[in-house]
Amino acid sequence: MVNSIRTRFAPSPTGHLHIGNARTAIMNWIFARHAGGSFVLRIEDTDMERSTRESEMSILDDLRWLRLDWDEGPDKGGACGPYRQSERLDVYRQALNQLLSGGDVYPCYCTTEELDEQRRQMENGKVIRMDDPCRNLSSAQKSSFESSGRKPAYRFRVNQDDAAFEDLIRGPISFQADHIGDFIIARSDAMPMYNFACVVDDHFMDITHVIRGDDHVSNTPRQILIYRALGWNCPAFAHIPMILGNDRVRLSKRHGATSVSEYRKNGYLPEALVNFLSLLSWSSESEDEILTKERLIREFDFSRVSKSASVFDVEKLNWMNGVYIRGTEIEALMPMVKPFLEPVFGPVDEVTLRAVLDLLHESVELLPQIAEKGRIFFTDEPASRNAEAAALLATPEAKAVIRAFLDETSACSRWDASVFQGIMKTVQQKSGVKGKNLWMPVRAALTGQMHGPDLAKTVEIFGIEKCRSVTAKALE
Ligand code: GLU
């Protein structure tokens, strides 16, 4: 008997970690940590055709990137392993034998064509519940099928039970078992189907709380019937509402990035993604939206998980990402932005990078924007000029300012923001131009834009040589 909370995340390794599944993992992780329990990672790879080790590795990698640590799993081991379903086939076989000998499961010899026909009839509404023709075969009939070479699948016998359950989020959910119909729990090669393997594993892994997407609600009654037939206690169930795109249709590729790896590649911070995904169906009593993991863990409560679907608002995620970027130390941001800079600009100088981040990190929402906004700092080419800047630089007054700037900087031995301010004062006195008309031409010449980050800091990062060569080009 266990007395400690145990949750699990049970991905099927058939692709990348989907954002909806990441949310499920986060909820399981938060609840386990909140309760001081354990978080288990189980790989559901019984679909041999679609499961790959590559996908498993990428899922684990994304979970690590999100900094969700698990206590037991395929890479870590643990007392309830193995944690890959493909390595647990003997456990399912034993449970299957138990169900067969108790009469809760029977061999079904129907061919795929026969099953397809039965399904068609169900879909046409002709029958609500499929009474399998193999339900009550005599031993002689079974032997005859066996000798004709048919290999049976294994079907669970659903009796007229009620399979209602109390969902921790949705409250009571009732299902009439006689609407379910006998269902296959293992294929003819004895490979378990999802509902069966899931029950066996959740039982032997001592899982106390099954927290998963509400696309699984209709599986839960089947699972409950299997628990009962095996004489096992059911865990608690919590089905979290689905995620919709901004058009209120279930989130899909059509809405943009749907995998964690895409968000990672697009410059989101894991803390922002975890914070955002947690708030898709849960809210803090304080109504605060920026919540550290510590607060998410401390404040989590099932009673505050919403029953209705939530909309994935990418603008809110971007805003949140900006907040997290602003809250990250420059030193910590440096290695995070390099992967977005180096493929474009080659190796970047650390001193320049530090200064550029200091200048720009408060004005971006996504890490790659440092590469866009900071382009002028990482290349020696003059910035491409927008139309407004080009028009301004074509005026005689702007040219005079630039010429005076070049004159005044020709003999500079020291260069920083305050030297630049001093020089601009001299340029103002000598040219008689002041205010916007003085500063704008210099900004336009240096950055190619009429607006941008602090000019004194910009010139300091450029250094005197680059400032002079870039401004000189503006006169050409
Ligand atoms: N492998 C299933 C999935 O990825 C797990 C469902 C569950 O949590 O029971 O949907």
Side-chain angles (χ1 to χ4, degrees):
M1 202 44 208
V2 275
N3 51 16
S4 123
I5 301 287
R6 287 171 63 85
T7 65
R8 74 343 181 241
F9 176 54
S12 305
T14 54
H16 286 298
L17 180 61
H18 185 273
I19 211 80
N21 288 339
R23 201 246 319 223
T24 300
I26 291 168
M27 301 298 268
N28 277 282
W29 177 79
I30 288 181
F31 179 61
R33 296 291 171 252
H34 172 83
S38 302
F39 175 51
V40 176
L41 178 64
R42 176 171 80 225
I43 299 296
E44 301 208 327
D45 60 349
T46 51
D47 182 345
M48 294 296 206
E49 272 150 38
R50 295 176 58 227
S51 300
T52 66
R53 272 302 159 96
E54 208 184 3
S55 157
E56 177 187 316
M57 269 156 47
S58 96
I59 291 172
L60 264 64
D61 199 38
D62 284 339
L63 291 171
R64 284 189 199 105
W65 178 74
L66 289 169
R67 305 206 174 82
L68 304 183
D69 55 324
W70 49 96
D71 305 295
E72 298 162 34
D75 57 329
K76 286 201 150 169
C80 304
Y83 294 91
R84 258 183 220 107
Q85 288 190 327
S86 59
E87 293 164 12
R88 302 174 58 79
L89 299 182
D90 51 334
V91 186
Y92 311 126
R93 217 168 306 241
Q94 274 178 28
L96 179 63
N97 288 339
Q98 187 185 332
L99 289 169
L100 277 166
S101 57
D104 293 294
V105 164
Y106 56 87
C108 166
Y109 296 91
C110 292
T111 61
T112 323
E113 295 74 39
E114 286 161 353
L115 290 174
D116 283 348
E117 178 50 32
Q118 291 172 25
R119 199 168 304 120
R120 253 194 305 277
Q121 291 204 7
M122 280 231 309
E123 278 162 9
N124 290 343
K126 286 202 185 121
V127 266
I128 313 175
R129 177 198 154 110
M130 201 162 72
D131 253 337
D132 193 90
C134 302
R135 206 169 202 249
N136 298 308
L137 293 181
S138 65
S139 330
Q141 285 169 309
K142 285 184 201 165
S143 313
S144 142
F145 275 126
E146 297 277 345
S147 53
S148 74
R150 287 205 193 186
K151 288 204 101 214
Y154 297 92
R155 211 177 261 281
F156 188 89
R157 190 187 298 275
V158 178
N159 292 317
Q160 310 284 309
D161 286 336
D162 176 28
F165 65 100
E166 182 77 23
D167 190 280
L168 288 175
I169 296 168
R170 300 159 56 115
I173 297 187
S174 65
F175 263 96
Q176 284 307 314
D178 59 352
H179 282 191
I180 296 177
D182 295 354
F183 57 95
I184 295 195
I185 64 161
R187 295 197 319 225
S188 53
D189 56 4
M191 198 54 126
M193 304 298 281
Y194 157 72
N195 278 318
F196 178 47
C198 177
V199 166
V200 172
D201 290 344
D202 285 341
H203 171 74
F204 285 114
M205 293 182 181
D206 293 331
I207 300 303
T208 57
H209 291 71
V210 169
I211 306 169
R212 59 186 169 206
D214 66 2
D215 47 333
H216 285 290
V217 167
S218 63
N219 286 318
T220 304
R222 290 179 177 79
Q223 295 183 7
I224 289 173
L225 296 177
I226 301 175
Y227 278 107
R228 276 193 205 145
L230 286 163
W232 297 341
N233 287 330
C234 288
F237 293 100
H239 291 93
I240 37 186
M242 68 167 109
I243 309 176
L244 307 176
N246 46 12
D247 53 359
R248 307 217 135 245
V249 173
R250 189 184 199 106
L251 190 70
S252 72
K253 280 257 161 258
R254 218 162 42 76
H255 297 103
T258 50
S259 69
V260 169
S261 55
E262 283 171 280
Y263 284 90
R264 189 172 166 175
K265 270 194 228 106
N266 294 344
Y268 290 85
L269 267 52
E271 294 78 9
L273 203 54
V274 168
N275 189 159
F276 174 77
L277 291 174
S278 313
L279 291 188
L280 277 185
S281 43
W282 175 85
S283 60
S284 154
E285 208 173 347
S286 66
E287 292 186 15
D288 290 348
E289 301 223 87
I290 301 296
L291 296 159
T292 57
K293 280 187 179 165
E294 291 69 30
R295 277 192 68 187
L296 289 170
I297 289 169
R298 196 170 56 237
E299 296 179 25
F300 181 78
D301 185 347
F302 275 116
S303 69
R304 297 196 58 84
V305 180
S306 126
K307 291 185 181 58
S308 45
S310 39
V311 173
F312 191 99
D313 176 359
V314 79
E315 283 182 11
K316 179 169 170 185
L317 170 60
N318 291 351
W319 162 77
M320 210 171 247
N321 204 54
V323 174
Y324 275 90
I325 292 179
R326 288 198 283 287
T328 305
E329 300 272 338
I330 301 292
E331 289 306 309
L333 280 177
M334 290 181 43
M336 286 156 67
V337 294
K338 274 191 183 172
F340 298 100
L341 301 174
E342 302 202 321
V344 189
F345 307 114
V348 294
D349 167 56
E350 298 246 317
V351 178
T352 309
L353 179 56
R354 198 171 284 117
V356 172
L357 282 174
D358 190 41
L359 183 65
L360 298 179
H361 85 289
E362 300 211 343
S363 65
V364 300
E365 289 188 328
L366 298 172
L367 295 175
Q369 289 168 352
I370 298 282
E372 291 155 33
K373 295 197 175 200
R375 171 166 260 292
I376 49 171
F377 300 106
F378 301 115
T379 119
D380 283 331
E381 291 148 37
S384 61
R385 251 168 246 146
N386 69 15
E388 226 186 320
L392 173 70
L393 290 171
T395 63
E397 188 181 68
K399 283 193 197 301
V401 169
I402 299 296
R403 252 182 240 112
F405 178 80
L406 285 168
D407 281 349
E408 292 308 314
T409 49
S410 63
C412 264
S413 55
R414 214 167 59 81
W415 187 248
D416 60 21
S418 68
V419 174
F420 168 71
Q421 308 272 19
I423 281 181
M424 288 302 282
K425 201 158 258 167
T426 319
V427 172
Q428 177 191 329
Q429 282 151 5
K430 293 201 173 159
S431 65
V433 181
K434 55 184 184 197
K436 222 171 113 202
N437 296 344
L438 172 75
W439 293 95
M440 277 299 185
V442 179
R443 176 182 288 284
L446 286 167
T447 69
Q449 311 281 317
M450 304 294 278
H451 307 279
D454 184 275
L455 196 56
K457 285 195 183 143
T458 302
V459 301
E460 191 168 296
I461 302 173
F462 271 20
I464 179 69
E465 240 129 77
K466 182 166 167 181
C467 277
R468 284 179 52 77
S469 67
V470 169
T471 24
K473 289 237 164 61
L475 285 178
E476 284 166 11

